[in-house]
Structure formats: structure tokens, C-alpha cells
Amino acid sequence: MLCSCKKNSSANIEIQGRVLNFWDKSPIPCQIQLWVGSSTPGSKGTTNYGNYMTNADGTFDIKSNTQWMGTDYTLLFIPTDGNQSQFTEGCSVSNNKNLNIGDILTGMINVSCNIKINSVSSASINFINVGSTPQTNFPAGTSTVFTASFAYSASGYQALGNFYPFKYRISSSTVDSTIMVPLLPPAVTCSVTINY
């Protein structure tokens, strides 16, 4: 996303914010590059206007100086923990103004779900979209507990909320069943029981 900061050569601009893990709200240390130009940061026609770092609490405070020129700005965030990809954040700020863009929620977590299945009929069960697990098909008469897991990103959280989603189908049915198992941040585990 592009950050359009309209200004002239004497304008003073300040951009503040905080980078946090979307799940447990812990600070994510990042290098921040400020780029001018309407293209992708680092491509032809763009100029780097400085490198900054987030503070220990995830906050950042980027202040302009008089040589800043241009109308399109991009903040490029490069997490220093090596666990996620870089990303950009957009903003719009006027001349001689301060802008607090607030909390930027990002990151990735691994969520695990303990799934207990109890056979109460002559049907088998097949898990269609359960995440990573060594087995997804269970014959009739099976009662067991297994653990499934999946990587949960900030964008997934925005789409799904605090839930571990998965689908399964019982052999006696022609339709899939969907379960959204509640998750309670900052915990990264949950459990559910299915009688089939």
C-alpha cells in the first residue's frame, strides 16, 4: 500500500505507530524504510529517505526533514525476527502535520486443536480441511484423540476471527459439516469433541 504524504520542501511531517503481533499483542521488532515514489520500494523511480527501527515496545516515530520531496510515500516494514515477510503500510498526511497510524497488527502463529472423535454409529468420518495432521480418515468404530495444526496469519485472523475452522464429512451424509472452534488469545490451543 502506498503512503501519500503531500508536502513541500519546507513541510514538517511526523508519522507514528506501533507494530504488534496480531494474536498476543507482543511487539514485533522491525526495520522501517521510508520510500518516495509511486512504484514498488527499491524499484526505478523510487528513493529511500531513511531507515528506522521500532522501539522495544513496537512503537516508531518517523520525522521528516527539509530535503523530503515528493507526493507518494511508502513505509516498508522488514521484521527482524526472520519469522515473517516484509510488508507495507499506507497513510495520508498533510503538510506540517503529525499522523498516528495506530497499531499495525501483523505476524504469524501456529494453532493446534485437539480433536476427540467418538463413534456412535456405523458411519466413518473424513476430515476435509483440518490443517496438518497425520490422518484424516477414520473408519466406523474409531474413538480417539488427534491433534491438527495450521499456521494462522494476521490476514486469516481478519477473515476468520478467533476460530480454528475445519470441515469433515460423515459417510452417511452427502454434505460437509463445518466447525469453527473458538480460540482464546493469547492461547494457541483449543479442543473439540465430535460424535459421529
Side-chain angles (χ1 to χ4, degrees), residues 110-114 147-150 164 183 188-191:
N110 290 314
V111 176
S112 296
C113 187
N114 295 317
T147 300
S149 62
F150 78 110
Y164 187 118
L183 296 165
V188 292
T189 60
C190 61
S191 60

Side-chain angles (χ1 to χ4, degrees), residues 33-90:
Q33 295 179 356
L34 177 69
W35 291 84
V36 64
S38 59
S39 300
T40 303
S43 64
K44 184 177 180 180
T46 62
T47 303
N48 182 294
Y49 275 176
N51 298 315
Y52 308 86
M53 290 295 297
T54 54
N55 298 313
D57 61 357
T59 59
F60 61 89
D61 189 354
I62 298 173
K63 297 178 182 177
S64 71
N65 49 44
T66 56
Q67 71 262 27
W68 283 17
M69 297 290 293
T71 57
D72 294 318
Y73 293 84
T74 301
L75 295 175
L76 175 63
F77 293 85
I78 305 170
T80 59
D81 61 6
N83 294 326
Q84 63 174 319
S85 301
Q86 63 188 28
F87 61 94
T88 57
E89 185 69 26

Side-chain angles (χ1 to χ4, degrees), residues 67-126:
Q67 71 262 27
W68 283 17
M69 297 290 293
T71 57
D72 294 318
Y73 293 84
T74 301
L75 295 175
L76 175 63
F77 293 85
I78 305 170
T80 59
D81 61 6
N83 294 326
Q84 63 174 319
S85 301
Q86 63 188 28
F87 61 94
T88 57
E89 185 69 26
C91 67
S92 179
V93 70
S94 302
N95 290 354
N96 300 309
K97 297 288 184 180
N98 294 344
L99 175 68
N100 189 326
I101 59 178
D103 291 344
I104 300 168
L105 302 178
T106 188
M108 180 78 70
I109 61 164
N110 290 314
V111 176
S112 296
C113 187
N114 295 317
I115 302 171
K116 180 179 181 180
I117 57 172
N118 295 315
S119 178
V120 295
S121 71
S122 60
S124 60
I125 187 170
N126 178 34

